[in-house]
Amino acid sequence: MDQVFTPIVVQTCEALSRGGRSRALGPTEGQSETLFSLHDPFGLRKAIVPLFQVLPDGDLQGLGTAFALDPWGSFATADHVVAGIRMRGQHKRSTNDASMRVQLPPGEGLVAVLGFGVAFGTIGLPQETMVRVVEGWSPAFDGGNPMTILRQGHDLRTIDLALLKMQRPGPDLLHNLPIRARPPSPEPGELVVAIGFPTIDAFSGNEEAARTIVSEGMYAAYGRVTQLFPNGRTNPTPVFEVGAKWPSGMSGGPVINVHGEVIGLVSTSDTTDGSEVGCATWLGAFAELPLRAPALDPDNSDFRRGWAAMRNAPWTLAGVYPVEAEACAAAEKAGEAFVVRYGAWRLGSDDFMTV
């Protein structure tokens, strides 16, 4: 890197609210900032997780990386990480525009491993740690190839983004990173860092091997933004280009700006011409993100939107929930003075603002 390298401070929203110690994310002695192993002092493994497919014999096949969008089990990854499963899903054309929606099929054995870096490699181990994907959605557009249509196939041009809904995680197993869901945009020359599991896509094995690769396999890679492509570069995916080394297993992992906010996710990396260039799916340039990830707060990267069961005097926040019905049930259980309001919740705190 030509410019002075200053490590980025990366911290989960929950740690930030609770006054957790802030530490810069940098390589240890002998490591390069272009790719270095991350011995997690930040609790990042509660926010960034490896994705696996469960094979018929119960072993796991590593796929890539995902990160939490909210406290209730919504995650983001790159579409190409789950493309093999996605192709067996349902494809529905929108009645409002030319786009198509790709629904991941249920029950395909797609799982994420949550927790503190202690990972379990078979489906029979504790449910609170290994969490199944129950729903997925990927944006796609009809490519318009008539031969594909005649074969009753789907000529899809997909955006390299998949939103996953997982089983509701157990208490304190899932944290969130600040997420910048709209501009300000990254600028050329801006330093960013990507985090993921670079060896995970080559993994196929049993529980003991899975523990090792997950607990020791988190890496970080710095680079600088070089170009912006809000309308896509080689496909419709809005991306920003980064001079960085991103091994394929990091696909789907978060790309974080100098303010510690997620602004994209690892999409592709190219070293064919001798240079190292990565492309990140650009969250702020994806117009449908607020609709498809409604918990993200456009004004505050460390807040999430939801329904609160709350009491004004004395102020008490009984809980915040993704749907109104859950908040109503919680308010009724909490007592007569509790009401339900929709608003923005500062993760890890009792701060709530009605919207």
Side-chain angles (χ1 to χ4, degrees), residues 55-141:
L55 303 177
D57 61 2
D59 277 359
L60 302 180
Q61 175 68 57
L63 296 178
T65 305
F67 60 94
L69 292 176
D70 61 41
W72 306 296
S74 297
F75 283 76
T77 188
D79 175 74
H80 74 266
V81 170
V82 296
I85 294 176
R86 186 255 298 158
M87 291 302 292
R88 299 193 292 276
Q90 297 179 352
H91 307 83
K92 297 181 180 180
R93 185 184 300 274
S94 172
T95 57
N96 299 322
D97 53 38
S99 65
M100 299 185 76
R101 306 291 179 259
V102 181
Q103 187 73 33
L104 298 177
E108 287 286 349
L110 183 61
V111 298
V113 178
L114 310 182
F116 301 87
V118 177
F120 300 95
T122 64
I123 197 169
L125 287 163
Q127 185 65 42
E128 65 269 22
T129 303
M130 181 160 285
V131 182
R132 276 187 174 272
V133 175
V134 296
E135 186 180 32
W137 177 86
S138 295
F141 298 86

Side-chain angles (χ1 to χ4, degrees), residues 9 15 31 49 51 56 104 128 144 159 163 175 291 293 301 331 334 345 353:
V9 174
Q31 293 184 316
V49 302
L51 285 177
L104 298 177
E128 65 269 22
I159 301 296
L163 304 181
H175 284 183
L291 175 65
S301 62
W345 173 38
M353 301 182 297

